[in-house]
Amino acid sequence: MQFILNSCSSCRARSDCPFIAPSLPLLTNFRSGAKLERENRMKITWWVVSFASVALVAASSSQDPHLSSARVVFQTNYGDIEFGFFPSVAPQTVDHIFKLVRLGCYNTNHFFRVDKGFVAQVADVVGGRSAPMNEEQRKEAKKTVVGEFSDVKHVRGILSMGRFEDPNSAQSSFSMLLGDAPHLDGQYAIFGKVTKGDDTLSKLEQLPTRKEGIFVMPTERITILSSYYYDTEMESCEEERSVLKRRLSASAVEIERQRMKCFP
């Protein structure tokens, strides 16, 4: 957010606009210079503190929500895309999408829509897969989730659920934002963001497209060949455990070497 002092068009005539620096009183013959100086200092201090508070609130509100440690990777014929979840923002949506991933529902599905600078949209798994679904997959894929709308902004890399006119009609189709789309804010459920693979998204944006109604669609099929998930915290633990094992092994070798040296 950018603050421009003394140029808030809707508030120029108002004295209560927080983005307008308050004018300081002029020196007059009715007050002592020392008293005026104290008043001016107090008003300057008030303005600095007020502006700093507004800036702090704006900065904190612009921060991303907390990402869970779970990561999902879509392996496409144009490269990998990894994303994480915002369970504190859309818990039901996150549970639903993550379950679809664990069941393998997105395997052989595709991106049916790529609108450069706007969205790359994953098709609904029921009609988008090239492989048939088993009963468990189909049952989960047909479920709808409540519209968990939030104040998180639609910017590049954000994951946002697709839906019909009914706000509670989201199922399995979702978009990866390819640019900022403020007109979607508060109307579609944001549930995560891309953590790796922006270069893959850029490749998708360069593909030839055709327009069908309101949709800009790639002329070639962008297939999700397979998908997998992992936990970043577990990965970290495994790496630390591996390092510890190597250190213990090295220590054991060194202890044995010293023992042989002392007791040949």
Side-chain angles (χ1 to χ4, degrees), residues 23 38 51 54 96 98 113 209 219 248:
S23 58
R38 285 196 301 272
F51 184 76
V54 171
H96 177 62
F98 196 29
R113 179 185 187 187
T209 58
T219 57
L248 288 173

Side-chain angles (χ1 to χ4, degrees), residues 47-243:
W47 177 80
V48 170
V49 171
S50 298
F51 184 76
S53 299
V54 171
L56 182 61
V57 170
S60 62
S61 64
S62 66
Q63 294 176 350
D64 280 342
H66 174 70
L67 270 175
S68 70
S69 59
R71 294 291 183 275
V72 172
V73 179
F74 281 174
Q75 297 180 301
T76 79
N77 48 330
Y78 289 94
D80 294 354
I81 303 170
E82 179 190 282
F83 57 87
F85 297 110
F86 296 148
S88 62
V89 174
Q92 293 184 51
T93 305
V94 168
D95 286 347
H96 177 62
I97 295 297
F98 196 29
K99 186 170 183 180
L100 290 173
V101 170
R102 296 197 304 273
L103 289 173
C105 292
Y106 288 99
N107 296 346
T108 76
N109 196 22
H110 69 117
F111 287 83
F112 81 93
R113 179 185 187 187
V114 178
D115 197 338
K116 186 176 182 180
F118 182 37
V119 296
Q121 188 168 355
V122 178
D124 187 287
V125 298
V126 173
R129 285 168 49 107
S130 59
M133 303 181 76
N134 61 41
E135 187 58 33
E136 186 179 10
Q137 290 173 329
R138 187 175 296 277
K139 181 179 178 181
E140 186 64 29
K142 286 186 175 182
K143 291 181 180 178
T144 57
V145 288
V146 65
E148 297 178 297
F149 309 136
S150 66
D151 58 359
V152 181
K153 304 302 181 185
H154 283 79
V155 297
R156 186 177 179 91
I158 282 293
L159 307 183
S160 180
M161 290 297 289
R163 63 173 176 83
F164 297 106
E165 188 175 353
D166 181 352
N168 302 320
S169 59
Q171 291 182 301
S172 60
S173 176
F174 65 89
S175 295
M176 298 182 181
L177 272 289
L178 301 176
D180 297 353
H183 62 287
L184 303 180
D185 293 346
Q187 300 185 59
Y188 295 86
I190 289 175
F191 65 93
K193 73 172 185 177
V194 173
T195 51
K196 292 179 183 177
D198 188 68
D199 56 333
T200 299
L201 293 179
S202 295
K203 288 179 186 177
L204 302 188
E205 289 186 276
Q206 304 308 314
L207 296 176
T209 58
R210 68 183 189 278
K211 193 165 185 179
E212 291 189 14
I214 64 170
F215 297 124
V216 178
M217 308 170 73
T219 57
E220 302 175 22
R221 184 178 173 90
I222 304 169
T223 303
I224 300 171
L225 303 170
S226 63
S227 62
Y228 65 91
Y229 59 94
Y230 69 97
D231 191 296
T232 55
E233 292 181 357
M234 291 298 293
E235 288 270 315
S236 177
C237 288
E238 287 299 323
E239 184 177 349
E240 290 176 5
R241 184 182 299 176
S242 177
V243 170

